[in-house]
Every structure is written in C-alpha cells, then in structure tokens.
Amino acid sequence: MKIWIVDPRLTAERRLWIEGWARHSRHQILAFTLPPSLRTPSGGTSCLARERARQLARRIRRYLTGSAVRDPSRHPAGLPDLVLLTDGLDGEAFVEEIGDLLAGIPLWIYWHTSRMADPEAATPEEIAVELRTVRVAERCLFHGKRQREHFLRVLSRYEPALALQVEKRAAVVPPGFDPFPSRSEALSFHKPLVLWLLRGEPIEIPMLIAALDRPALQPLNFQVLLLSERPEMETPRVQGLPPQLRARILGILSPESSEAQRWASAAQAIVDGSIRPHSPIHLMRLTSEGPWPLVPASSGLLDTLPEAFWPRCAYHQSEDLAERLRILLIDPPLGSREIRQALAAWMWPALAPRYDALCEIALRDFPEREGDVKESAHREAGGCPYSSRAT
C-alpha cells in the first residue's frame, strides 16, 4: 500500500512522527512537506494555509506528471492508495488544485494540533480554515481523546450535521515515538531541575512568568532548563523575563539533542508550557528518560497514563501548574517507573501495526482498487525509507 503524507509545516516533532511510522510500517510512506513558516503573511492565517495547500499540490502534480502546470494531456504515474493531510493547510484549496489527479483516492487528515479543539485561543479565521478542511476530508484522525471531544463539540456549534458525519468516522490514533538512540551518561545536578517545553506561542512566556512567580514557588531552590525546537527564537523572549525569574533559567536546548536527553535523566519534572493541545512526541521521549510530566488537562499524553496519575500530572491554568510543581519539588512522587512502562505502549513497534491496519480500511471503502493495492502492499511489505522530498 502506498500512503502519502502531506505536511505543510514540518516541525521536528512532525518529522519524528513521519520518520518513525515509515521506519516501522509494512507499507510504503512518502511525505510531501514544507518547513515551518517564520512569519504569517499579510493575508493572515487563511492566506498562509491556502498558499501552503497550493504549493504542496503543485509539487505533487510535478511529481505525478512532470509539470506543476495543469495539463490534461499529461497522465499521472505512481498514484497513492491513501493521502493523509496534516493540519495547517486549507484542504479545500488543496482539492481545488490537485483533485483532478487524486479523484477516487481516500483523503484523510491527522490533527497534530487543532484550533477548533481550543476555541478560546483560536481566531474565527483559524476555525474557518479547519472547517474548509473538514468538509473535504473523508476521515479525521486525532492524536488524543480530549482533542477529539473538544473538536467535535465546537464543530457541532458551526455545522451540526457535519459534526455527526465526522464523529462516525473519527478515530484517535496516538502519535508514536522512538526513544533516544542510546542512553547517555546521566548528569550530576544537585538542585531540583525542571524541564520546560516551549512551542513558540505568544501565551507561553506569560504562562511561564505567572507560574514561576507564585509566592509558593519563590522560596524553593530549583532551576529551569527551557526546551524549544527554535532556541534562537526563544532567546529574546527569555531575556525579557524579570531578573529573579531569569536567574532560574539555565539555558535553552533543542528537545531532540543528546544534551536534552542527559538533562532529562537528571530532572524531576518536565512541563508542557502550552495550554493548547499539541502532539506530545517530545514529551513522551523525554518523559521516558525519567522526569515526571506536568501537562495541560487537554494533553493527549494523559491518554496513556494510568488514571490514578492524572490529578498529579494535569493542570488547567498557571495556578494549578504552580501548585502541582511545588508539591512535586517538595515531595517527589513515586511511580515514574509506571509512567515509563505505560509509555512503552506508544512506542512505534507497538503502534505502527495499528496505524497500518487503520489505513487499510481505505481499501474496503474503495473495493474497485482493492486488488491493485493488495498486490502493492504485498510487494512493499516491510516499508521503505522515509522521504521528505518528492521533486
């Protein structure tokens, strides 16, 4: 089976997701991707999502026909069996641009993050983009149960009939992860250490200040190591912190780095500093090294943890986060081994067969292509190398 992933903003977290699935899948996975945008164009979110969709569609047309220009005389070669979009593009614009070549091929979407699942932080423009995408996607896949519930609840406010259709075919597919390649030598660090994951959202630094500036935390002698996929972008924001908070910050590292792994093995906690639910791949990899996770109550990470751990792991706002962090630093909980054991169910060797089986449902929905796809799946069993280029 040939599965295409179309990703309009290939962050490190999304790259790890694609690479991991491709490495462990029994199918052939090809990715068409664009790098994350550093800025939003003058047309806003809608303009950016539309341009990403068209750019990727033109790249796919060139891959299939040799030309990015629509030309009825050029016949596509090497069509996929399933196209899986990810969030951040305008699905309607994508279909308008490339639908003539992909007619009859299932089009699904995987929501790593969704504005509709967090309506208080979303703009009407962001929700409009997602509505246009939902209308053309035949199936919606979500990274967490809470994300799915919030998304469908908001969708029902805008288009109740569509929400019912989406719910019937919606699925929760946790994001798989591979652990770090090898265990690094643990750092010896004598103060309590907290890892704090930033994702570049405007609300995160105010959240950091609001939590760490709580009187209950001020007397505690702990330090914070920030994690960001783009440390150079976070540095100016960190330099603007109040001096007493800036003194707690050790520095900023990429969550993929071997140094981050070494710090994780010495940390007591890792905080997801974004209230908006994101795919928790970095969190899972780092939590598997030992720190206790503190995550928003909407986080998909909670889906894999024993329910008894939720009250000590989940927070709703900065006050909750500060209190949970205070308790954790004063009286470190037992049970981190159980958390690591629970996370093993989300490693790719366990999850990839679930992904593959779900995608094979597309064959039953399109029986006229079943024979060709079965033959392709048999021939390609074992997967193929990940590719982020299709030109």
Side-chain angles (χ1 to χ4, degrees):
M1 183 176 184
K2 295 179 181 178
I3 302 168
W4 284 4
I5 298 173
V6 182
D7 189 290
R9 47 186 179 200
L10 191 67
T11 62
E13 204 159 31
R14 292 171 184 242
R15 175 178 50 75
L16 288 170
W17 176 74
I18 296 172
E19 289 177 345
W21 183 14
R23 187 160 45 244
H24 295 278
S25 176
R26 60 178 173 264
H27 298 307
Q28 178 181 345
I29 296 176
L30 179 66
F32 297 82
T33 68
L34 295 173
S37 296
L38 297 178
R39 65 181 69 180
T40 301
S42 57
T45 303
S46 180
C47 180
L48 178 60
R50 189 164 52 251
E51 177 54 34
R52 284 170 171 164
R54 290 173 175 169
Q55 189 173 346
L56 285 164
R58 289 192 292 267
R59 184 177 296 183
I60 291 172
R61 184 178 294 278
R62 185 184 302 113
Y63 176 79
L64 289 173
T65 69
S67 173
V69 179
R70 190 186 296 258
D71 183 349
S73 68
R74 292 177 176 266
H75 300 289
L79 286 168
D81 304 304
L82 171 68
V83 176
L84 183 60
L85 306 179
T86 62
D87 52 280
L89 56 69
D90 186 325
E92 188 174 79
F94 180 82
V95 170
E96 288 174 356
E97 189 76 29
I98 197 68
D100 59 314
L101 296 184
L102 300 182
I105 296 172
L107 182 70
W108 294 2
I109 181 165
Y110 188 95
W111 300 99
H112 286 283
T113 186
S114 166
R115 304 320 192 202
M116 201 141 32
D118 184 28
E120 293 182 2
T123 67
E125 186 184 31
E126 289 172 331
I127 290 179
V129 169
E130 295 196 356
L131 285 172
R132 290 197 294 272
T133 301
V134 172
R135 292 188 193 112
V136 300
E138 295 162 25
R139 188 167 191 141
C140 289
L141 309 182
F142 299 91
H143 79 253
K145 295 176 183 177
R146 294 160 187 80
Q147 182 200 32
R148 175 185 179 275
E149 292 168 2
H150 295 168
F151 184 97
L152 291 173
R153 188 180 303 120
V154 174
L155 180 58
S156 66
R157 298 176 197 166
Y158 289 91
E159 298 191 23
L162 179 61
L164 290 174
Q165 294 176 18
V166 170
E167 185 175 13
K168 291 177 183 178
R169 297 179 56 79
V172 174
V173 191
F177 77 101
D178 282 320
F180 285 92
S182 61
R183 281 196 83 84
S184 300
E185 181 182 353
L187 289 170
S188 178
F189 196 73
H190 302 295
K191 292 182 180 180
L193 175 65
V194 177
L195 305 183
W196 199 290
L197 182 60
L198 300 174
R199 301 178 186 274
E201 295 181 0
I203 191 61
E204 290 175 328
I205 294 299
M207 269 285 297
L208 176 70
I209 295 172
L212 295 186
D213 204 30
R214 294 283 163 186
L217 285 178
Q218 290 177 8
L220 301 182
N221 188 23
F222 69 96
Q223 290 196 279
V224 176
L225 179 66
L226 300 177
L227 302 173
S228 170
E229 290 190 3
R230 297 179 177 179
E232 71 283 354
M233 294 183 64
E234 296 297 344
T235 299
R237 297 208 296 170
V238 173
Q239 289 174 344
L241 289 173
Q244 70 274 17
L245 297 185
R246 197 166 62 244
R248 289 195 187 272
I249 308 298
L250 290 174
I252 311 176
L253 291 176
S254 164
E256 285 191 282
S257 68
S258 59
E259 282 300 300
Q261 178 192 11
R262 295 181 68 205
W263 284 105
S265 63
Q268 284 187 222
I270 178 168
V271 176
D272 185 346
S274 173
I275 291 292
R276 178 172 283 170
H278 286 266
S279 185
I281 295 173
H282 290 320
L283 278 170
M284 293 187 296
R285 296 185 87 210
L286 292 161
T287 299
S288 67
E289 296 294 317
W292 187 273
L294 293 174
V295 299
S298 58
S299 174
L301 183 70
L302 297 175
D303 291 348
T304 195
L305 301 184
E307 190 171 349
F309 289 90
W310 293 357
R312 298 201 71 173
C313 291
Y315 69 88
H316 293 272
Q317 51 192 352
S318 59
E319 293 90 341
D320 302 333
L321 174 55
E323 179 59 18
R324 280 158 180 72
L325 186 56
R326 183 189 70 83
I327 295 172
L328 178 60
L329 293 173
I330 292 175
D331 183 20
L334 300 176
S336 61
R337 178 178 297 179
E338 292 180 58
I339 289 179
R340 293 197 297 274
Q341 290 172 346
L343 284 172
W346 281 19
M347 291 184 182
W348 272 119
L351 265 186
R354 180 174 167 185
Y355 270 70
D356 290 346
L358 182 64
C359 291
E360 287 156 12
I361 291 175
L363 310 190
R364 297 198 290 271
D365 291 343
F366 292 82
E368 69 276 8
R369 304 183 64 236
E370 185 172 354
D372 293 340
V373 175
K374 281 185 176 177
E375 180 182 352
S376 172
H378 175 74
R379 185 173 60 252
E380 294 153 2
C384 74
Y386 159 77
S387 171
S388 63
R389 295 183 59 196
T391 55

